Amino acid sequence: MAVSFEEEEGDRKTDMQVWLGMVESLCKGFGWAADELPIEMIQTHISIILLGKRQALKLKKPVDFGFLDYTTLAKRHRACEAEINLNRRLCPNTYLAVQPIVEVNGQPQLANAGHIIDYGVLMKRLPGERMLDQMLLKNEVSESLMARVAERLSAFHREARRGSEVDFYGGAAVIRRNWEENFTQTIPYVERTVATAEFDLIRNRVADWLEDFDRLFNKRVREGRICDGHGDLRSESICITNGICIFDCIEFNDRFRCADVASEVAFLAMDLDARGRPDLGYYSFQENDISKTRAQAAQASSSGRLHNDKIACGACANLLSACS
């Protein structure tokens, strides 16, 4: 069993440079089985993923962006546990365990005994060539394949957690808060990753939709359309093998993950549109059994998130225009 870290140590903020030094050592192969080498590294703004031959280790950067906070060992531990539990809903055989990282003779090791210095999410490595975004680049995605994805999502949404705690996140007040927070955090990136004209268009159109569809949001809550879903459904998070593995859901913020099922479907449709396949986006939207009306599409577009991402901004603007 892993040695428990003292509470005060777990709650102390992690020094980023020390943490990056640990990651560099892991990249050099410390703690990995010989047949996993060499180790590849992928970075996002909140994570570093180390890729071995058969397994992958996802590490959470010690950052605080407001909508997430991974600054302490204890917070990263809780986030790893949540990521495992939530992602096993749609990708049950890929998420293996919360992996302690311990210090042995001054070097980090992947082990279950020793002084714990961090935690990661240990996963089976999925085949990169079977990711939906890569298949799109090779023109290997058909309507029949998207129908399979839609069927998987529809079944997931039917069984997903619901109730008053989840319904709270589908109300107009929370949707408005998500958008206001989003715009506030995106302002520093205007004219860096998104043009002023696009930013202003989206902000104005969203404000109009929030006003026009306030009653619809609350009606959808009463109808039971809000569920504990995925929260960030993009092509790069869908792997097509013998089955369909949908991974990398949002674990760090319930109000991003719990939403109207139409919002989730529209998010994937926007991603497909941004990747040059609006036909597949439209088809997948129509194939889902929760996305049959124009009014639902309007609500879905109004509950999305930019994540400071130019692609998502452009896709959202396109969908808003299409729904007008």
Side-chain angles (χ1 to χ4, degrees), residues 136 143 146 266 268-286 315 318-319 322:
L136 285 165
E143 288 187 350
M146 291 310 304
L268 177 58
M270 288 190 293
D271 182 68
L272 291 166
D273 189 1
R275 295 177 188 277
R277 292 302 306 267
D279 57 317
L280 293 176
Y282 179 82
Y283 182 82
S284 67
F285 195 87
Q286 295 300 313
N318 290 339
L319 186 56

Side-chain angles (χ1 to χ4, degrees), residues 213-232:
F213 286 90
D214 184 277
R215 292 182 179 179
L216 176 61
F217 298 147
N218 296 321
K219 177 176 180 288
R220 295 280 293 175
V221 172
R222 292 193 303 272
E223 292 174 345
R225 307 297 184 123
I226 315 306
C227 76
D228 187 338
H230 183 280
D232 195 22

Side-chain angles (χ1 to χ4, degrees), residues 71-127:
T71 53
T72 71
L73 179 61
K75 290 176 179 177
R76 294 195 298 281
H77 186 201
R78 288 193 293 269
C80 288
E81 290 179 329
E83 180 165 358
I84 290 278
N85 292 331
L86 289 165
N87 278 291
R88 281 176 174 170
R89 300 174 302 167
L90 276 165
C91 206
N93 299 318
T94 297
Y95 286 78
L96 302 176
V98 175
Q99 176 63 60
I101 300 164
V102 303
E103 189 175 60
V104 178
N105 298 324
Q107 294 293 345
Q109 302 283 332
L110 307 184
N112 293 324
H115 174 64
I116 298 172
I117 57 175
D118 209 354
Y119 291 93
V121 174
L122 187 66
M123 308 166 61
K124 291 181 181 178
R125 181 170 180 174
L126 296 169

Side-chain angles (χ1 to χ4, degrees), residues 70-267:
Y70 293 153
T71 53
T72 71
L73 179 61
K75 290 176 179 177
R76 294 195 298 281
H77 186 201
R78 288 193 293 269
C80 288
E81 290 179 329
E83 180 165 358
I84 290 278
N85 292 331
L86 289 165
N87 278 291
R88 281 176 174 170
R89 300 174 302 167
L90 276 165
C91 206
N93 299 318
T94 297
Y95 286 78
L96 302 176
V98 175
Q99 176 63 60
I101 300 164
V102 303
E103 189 175 60
V104 178
N105 298 324
Q107 294 293 345
Q109 302 283 332
L110 307 184
N112 293 324
H115 174 64
I116 298 172
I117 57 175
D118 209 354
Y119 291 93
V121 174
L122 187 66
M123 308 166 61
K124 291 181 181 178
R125 181 170 180 174
L126 296 169
E129 71 277 6
R130 300 304 297 171
M131 300 298 178
L132 190 61
D133 62 328
Q134 296 304 305
M135 294 177 69
L136 285 165
L137 291 175
K138 295 179 287 186
N139 198 30
E140 294 176 350
V141 181
S142 63
E143 288 187 350
S144 61
L145 190 150
M146 291 310 304
R148 289 175 57 205
V149 173
E151 182 180 1
R152 182 81 172 95
L153 282 173
S154 294
F156 167 65
H157 289 145
R158 285 193 297 271
E159 300 299 323
R161 182 171 69 99
R162 284 174 165 78
S164 58
E165 291 183 1
V166 176
D167 286 345
F168 170 77
Y169 298 108
V174 173
I175 293 172
R176 185 172 286 104
R177 176 189 173 188
N178 288 345
W179 273 111
E180 289 172 353
E181 176 186 69
N182 204 355
F183 287 127
T184 298
Q185 293 178 343
T186 306
I187 285 173
Y189 302 93
V190 174
E191 291 304 332
R192 292 172 59 188
T193 59
V194 58
T196 300
E198 290 179 338
F199 180 82
D200 290 343
L201 169 67
I202 297 169
R203 193 168 200 172
N204 292 335
R205 297 298 293 273
V206 165
D208 290 342
W209 282 115
L210 288 172
E211 184 70 25
D212 293 344
F213 286 90
D214 184 277
R215 292 182 179 179
L216 176 61
F217 298 147
N218 296 321
K219 177 176 180 288
R220 295 280 293 175
V221 172
R222 292 193 303 272
E223 292 174 345
R225 307 297 184 123
I226 315 306
C227 76
D228 187 338
H230 183 280
D232 195 22
L233 194 59
R234 295 177 291 172
S235 303
E236 63 198 63
S237 299
I238 301 175
C239 185
I240 312 295
T241 53
N242 293 332
I244 295 175
C245 176
I246 303 175
F247 61 101
D248 203 23
C249 81
I250 287 180
E251 94 288 338
F252 53 79
N253 195 318
D254 289 353
R255 64 185 167 89
F256 288 177
R257 190 183 67 252
C258 298
D260 194 310
V261 289
S263 173
E264 191 127 287
V265 176
F267 204 79

Side-chain angles (χ1 to χ4, degrees), residues 13-119:
K13 289 194 174 181
T14 301
D15 181 272
M16 176 62 84
Q17 294 307 311
V18 172
W19 187 86
L20 289 173
M22 176 202 72
V23 173
E24 183 178 358
S25 293
L26 288 173
C27 286
K28 291 178 179 178
F30 287 100
W32 292 83
D35 60 356
E36 291 284 0
L37 304 178
I39 303 301
E40 304 171 48
M41 183 175 72
I42 298 174
Q43 287 204 55
T44 72
H45 61 305
I46 63 175
S47 302
I48 287 180
I49 301 94
L50 303 181
L51 299 173
K53 297 295 184 183
R54 297 174 291 104
Q55 295 183 332
L57 182 70
K58 183 177 179 181
L59 302 167
K60 300 183 183 301
K61 293 180 179 179
V63 294
D64 183 354
F65 291 134
F67 59 85
L68 68 81
D69 182 357
Y70 293 153
T71 53
T72 71
L73 179 61
K75 290 176 179 177
R76 294 195 298 281
H77 186 201
R78 288 193 293 269
C80 288
E81 290 179 329
E83 180 165 358
I84 290 278
N85 292 331
L86 289 165
N87 278 291
R88 281 176 174 170
R89 300 174 302 167
L90 276 165
C91 206
N93 299 318
T94 297
Y95 286 78
L96 302 176
V98 175
Q99 176 63 60
I101 300 164
V102 303
E103 189 175 60
V104 178
N105 298 324
Q107 294 293 345
Q109 302 283 332
L110 307 184
N112 293 324
H115 174 64
I116 298 172
I117 57 175
D118 209 354
Y119 291 93

